[in-house]
Amino acid sequence: MHPVIERFCVGSDQEVDTLLLPADIVASIAHAKTLQKATILTEEECSALILSLQKLFMRAKKGEAIITKTHEDSHSAIEDILSTEHGDVGRKIHTGRSRNDQIQGALRLYLREKILLLVNDVSTLVKVILERAEQYHRVPMMGRTHLQPAMISGVGFWFACIAEELTEEARELLGMLQGTLNRSPLGAAAGYGSPIHLDRAYTARLLGFKGIQNNMLAVQNARGRIELRITHQLHQIGLIISRFSEDLILYTLKELGYFSLPATMSTGSSIMPQKKNPDVLELLRTVPSESAATYEKLSHILKGIGMGYHRDLQKTKEACVQLCAYYTQALEVCTLVFRELEVHETRIRDSITEECLITDSVFDLVKEKNISFRDAYRHVALDLANKTSHTALSTRASDTRTRAALLRRTSLGSPGKLNLTMCKTALAQVERSHIHFLKAHQQVLTTLIMRSDVRLT
């Protein structure tokens, strides 16, 4: 192949496949056992190949096994290394499989672990936010709609909202381990199987999959779609990150001063020495843009190809792997932001105006006069319209009144009754499921690599 064409076709496969190499090795160990079961390999040959693969795994984890130009990808690297060490026996490792099912097997194992790590990152973030919610659950704050003063809210209420939303998305992300991602693609080869009978269910059990993805052409068509689903779910988390980042950008303005970031999280100006900019929040606000762009890219790759394998699909693994790494970093930053965020209670209380209590007066009228809400609403609205000045509405509401307004909200999930137990219970369920999947995943690695302290990523 012409060098220019080769560089274009290979692209970044070598870098991405270096990340996927440990997962590819684990899947290759399971494949070797399946080949022994099919009498393609003898027991001695299988044992020799597995020992070499286990050693290669440890080299890969130490960064000593890197995909080179001579290997092109992780699949050819594994086969080349085994062939060098074991001759014709090493070359048998490719029997009954294709790069197509091989990369899917490696990618599903890799993404299984990545999802488990990401769920753990979200869980850690939620716990930090819940601590802040409990700490400030009795502190009133101005609630806003359209960014305008609206009704009484609470600092703890704001924190609790973010915690609850993230917990829901962590549960959805973990749920991906129940679907196609938890079905083994191995044995499908290039999408049409092979004349050699391979016990696909046996391979699936070895790798901790729930079962096989049955139709072999459907296996090929799943490539890209799995990455697309993960991208979509990460995007939901990104949207939450973006929205609370926008709130924090506004709430840390000097004119408001509800919150502030420590100096270690602020950025200066090259021309204005007084400036302290929330660059970290502005960059967090862009997080869903990354997943939206990845989703768009994957969608466009998939919509233009027919069924079966096409080289276009080479691009889907790179996009998903990079996005998972990006979200790992973003979640770590979010956790640090919420842990170090400074809350200024006095400024928050002082900003609450009489305007935020107007709706409460409507409800007071409903109770006092025993009239409908609409009638009470019109009465209060008319009274406001007849006043010559609205200066009174912009005056500061007393702490006694704002605190009383907060405590009056006794419905579950309201600013006055956060009901954090519900979120904590949901988070505990996520963590129990997470532990279940993690133990099963770790058992696979321990059994196949013969070590208890290994990870794929």
Side-chain angles (χ1 to χ4, degrees), residues 184-250:
S184 174
L186 297 176
Y192 305 96
S194 67
I196 299 169
H197 175 71
L198 297 175
D199 190 341
R200 298 184 64 209
Y202 173 70
T203 312
R205 288 195 298 274
L206 289 174
L207 293 172
F209 289 112
K210 186 178 180 180
I212 64 168
Q213 187 176 359
N214 181 57
N215 186 280
M216 294 181 178
L217 185 56
V219 169
Q220 287 306 312
N221 291 341
R223 185 166 179 189
R225 284 174 44 238
I226 288 177
E227 296 95 305
L228 193 65
R229 290 195 194 107
I230 292 174
T231 298
H232 172 75
Q233 193 52 50
L234 289 178
H235 187 62
Q236 305 310 304
I237 295 171
L239 290 173
I240 297 170
I241 292 173
S242 180
R243 295 185 76 173
F244 71 61
S245 296
E246 173 65 8
D247 271 9
L248 286 174
I249 289 169
L250 294 173

Side-chain angles (χ1 to χ4, degrees), residues 250-263:
L250 294 173
Y251 291 161
T252 55
L253 286 172
K254 287 187 177 180
E255 293 90 328
L256 294 181
Y258 296 175
F259 306 117
S260 63
L261 294 172

Side-chain angles (χ1 to χ4, degrees), residues 265-301:
M265 293 187 186
S266 301
T267 310
S269 166
S270 62
I271 189 172
M272 296 170 282
Q274 83 282 6
K275 290 295 293 296
K276 295 296 180 184
N277 302 316
D279 287 18
V280 64
L281 298 176
E282 293 169 352
L283 290 172
L284 285 175
R285 191 169 54 183
T286 71
V287 167
S289 300
E290 296 289 338
S291 43
T294 300
Y295 190 90
E296 189 76 7
K297 177 179 181 178
L298 294 173
S299 296
H300 277 283
I301 291 173

Side-chain angles (χ1 to χ4, degrees), residues 114-164:
K114 268 299 181 185
I115 285 177
L116 288 169
L117 293 172
L118 284 163
V119 169
N120 184 67
D121 291 337
V122 176
S123 177
T124 300
L125 172 58
V126 169
K127 287 178 180 177
V128 171
I129 298 174
L130 282 173
E131 287 177 4
R132 306 310 297 268
E134 288 184 320
Q135 185 178 1
Y136 297 102
H137 75 289
R138 295 296 190 199
V139 179
M141 182 169 72
M142 180 187 293
R144 297 173 182 269
T145 63
H146 307 272
L147 292 180
Q148 304 302 313
M151 296 174 68
I152 289 294
S153 180
V155 177
F157 181 70
W158 184 82
F159 282 121
C161 170
I162 300 166
E164 191 166 313

Side-chain angles (χ1 to χ4, degrees), residues 32 67 91 129 142 179 210 258 271 313 316 382 388:
I67 312 300
R91 281 184 277 276
I129 298 174
M142 180 187 293
K210 186 178 180 180
Y258 296 175
I271 189 172
L313 294 169
T316 64
L382 182 63
T388 58

